[in-house]
Amino acid sequence: MATIPATINGVTVEFASTVNNDVEQVMIDGLNHCIKTAIATGHSLNKIYISSVYDSHTLPSRHMQKKAVDISRINGTKMVIGYPQNGAVTAIVDAIQTEFETFASRRENFGPHFKKKLGQPHTISGHNDHIHLSVN
Amino acid sequence: MPKSKTLFKTFCWVALVISLAACACNPAAKEKSPVLAALTHIDGEYVWNKKLSRHIYNKMALIETIVSPENPEKLMTILANCIDDSTPSRSTLNGKHLSLGVICYQALSQTAYYEPTDSTGDIKEFWPGHILPTANAQEMRAAKRAWLDVVSAKSYILY
């Protein structure tokens, strides 16, 4: 198994103390695809906060299959507070979600910008406060 | 003299029973935790966001200052138990005062989240713990039950 590195494409990755950082390589590939300092034009992504990986869920959750990651803070700001009030947070969240949609193995892409599953709009409650990314 | 003493005693007992009953029936009379008292008094407003097609609370930063010093575990218990509290708060939506339960849910959803999953492991489409500020009393009670389960299992995730 692989672990999410402390830096992805120059972006610092901070983990919640409860995180078990153990994932399938394809999930890391997905993060490498959408986590970049210049992901949003005019804004710099310096740090993401991962609130859950292989933890805090029960089987058969994709988290417990090591195929899902939750991101809850951008550049130190909680998404739940910064979206949509903070322009940089909003632009970066929108860009991350949009970019993840171009990753071939994407499955769930839920966040404040949109909710898509297997590339199609998907109705779910919640997820206006963090990004949940999962892979097949 | 003894008769008037007995009458006075009876009167005192009746007054005590009435006071206790009034206290038990009136949620506003119950003593609230300092966090809940502070949440009740926020002059907040839910404002419609056209782009997101949902209401956004305009005093989220103030809620942060109220809840952040609290122990998360204790806070989650207080907030989950408050979701169906119908005491009027000073916060409004379309000019109408909202129940304290709505503001407690707002504070809870700024503190932690929960991801319910279906049998395939994907996120469940509907979970009663997710509510809108326009939720009715029945929805608030269902949300409280859902969150109390989550709090008891400690399966919430802090932001």
Side-chain angles (χ1 to χ4, degrees):
Chain A
M1 285 297 164
T3 54
I4 299 168
T7 307
I8 300 174
N9 298 322
V11 178
T12 302
V13 182
E14 200 178 12
F15 298 94
S17 59
T18 47
V19 163
N20 183 340
N21 180 13
D22 187 2
V23 282
E24 295 276 356
Q25 182 59 45
V26 63
M27 188 67 248
I28 295 178
D29 295 343
L31 290 173
N32 273 321
H33 186 83
C34 65
I35 303 299
K36 300 162 189 170
T37 50
I39 187 73
T41 310
H43 303 282
S44 180
L45 173 58
N46 304 313
K47 189 163 74 173
I48 60 167
Y49 181 86
I50 292 186
S51 49
S52 181
V53 186
Y54 174 52
D55 54 83
S56 315
H57 294 75
T58 50
L59 273 169
S61 163
R62 297 225 161 250
H63 281 277
M64 301 319 282
Q65 298 175 35
K66 305 182 179 184
K67 290 179 176 176
V69 166
D70 290 343
I71 302 168
S72 66
R73 297 183 205 174
I74 297 292
N75 291 343
T77 299
K78 282 184 183 180
M79 227 174 275
V80 66
I81 309 295
Y83 197 104
Q85 291 84 344
N86 181 317
V89 169
T90 304
I92 291 166
V93 166
D94 291 359
I96 290 173
Q97 285 202 257
T98 302
E99 188 66 11
F100 188 69
E101 270 308 287
T102 64
F103 180 61
S105 299
R106 75 197 181 282
R107 185 176 180 87
E108 296 164 302
N109 184 351
F110 302 150
H113 184 40
F114 56 65
K115 281 98 183 159
K116 289 190 178 182
K117 183 170 161 179
L118 296 169
Q120 298 301 314
H122 188 73
T123 305
I124 50 153
S125 56
H127 289 84
N128 294 321
D129 41 33
H130 70 281
I131 300 174
H132 168 90
L133 304 175
S134 76
V135 292
N136 287 315
Chain B
M1 198 64 171
K3 197 179 174 186
S4 65
K5 220 174 181 180
T6 310
L7 270 173
F8 180 70
K9 255 184 172 177
T10 310
F11 171 78
C12 286
W13 274 110
V14 169
L16 179 68
V17 168
I18 290 171
S19 305
L20 287 173
C23 212
C25 295
N26 181 4
K30 286 181 193 166
E31 202 178 313
K32 294 201 184 298
S33 79
V35 169
L36 298 187
L39 293 177
T40 309
H41 290 100
I42 299 175
D43 274 314
E45 184 186 2
Y46 279 92
V47 181
W48 183 251
N49 184 297
K50 206 175 168 185
K51 184 187 164 227
L52 300 176
S53 294
R54 61 184 169 97
H55 288 99
I56 304 284
Y57 192 58
N58 69 350
K59 292 288 168 68
M60 285 194 278
L62 184 53
I63 286 186
E64 284 294 290
T65 62
I66 293 169
V67 300
S68 56
E70 300 293 321
N71 168 283
E73 214 168 293
K74 188 180 160 199
L75 178 68
M76 286 299 289
T77 304
I78 291 172
L79 295 176
N81 273 296
C82 159
I83 292 175
D84 66 344
D85 191 327
S86 58
T87 307
S89 76
R90 290 177 70 173
S91 291
T92 60
L93 191 155
N94 294 332
K96 198 178 154 194
H97 284 275
L98 294 161
S99 70
L100 173 59
V102 173
I103 310 307
C104 284
Y105 177 75
Q106 176 68 41
L108 182 147
S109 53
Q110 286 182 214
T111 306
Y113 64 94
Y114 171 69
E115 289 191 324
T117 49
D118 64 21
S119 57
T120 69
D122 288 341
I123 303 291
K124 228 177 192 173
E125 290 181 20
F126 171 76
W127 181 59
H130 289 140
I131 49 169
L132 299 172
T134 50
N136 61 32
Q138 194 183 342
E139 289 167 329
M140 302 295 276
R141 282 193 296 272
K144 177 182 176 176
R145 283 194 297 273
W147 273 104
L148 284 177
D149 286 346
V150 167
V151 168
S152 143
K154 293 193 176 127
S155 48
Y156 54 83
I157 300 156
L158 297 169
Y159 288 108

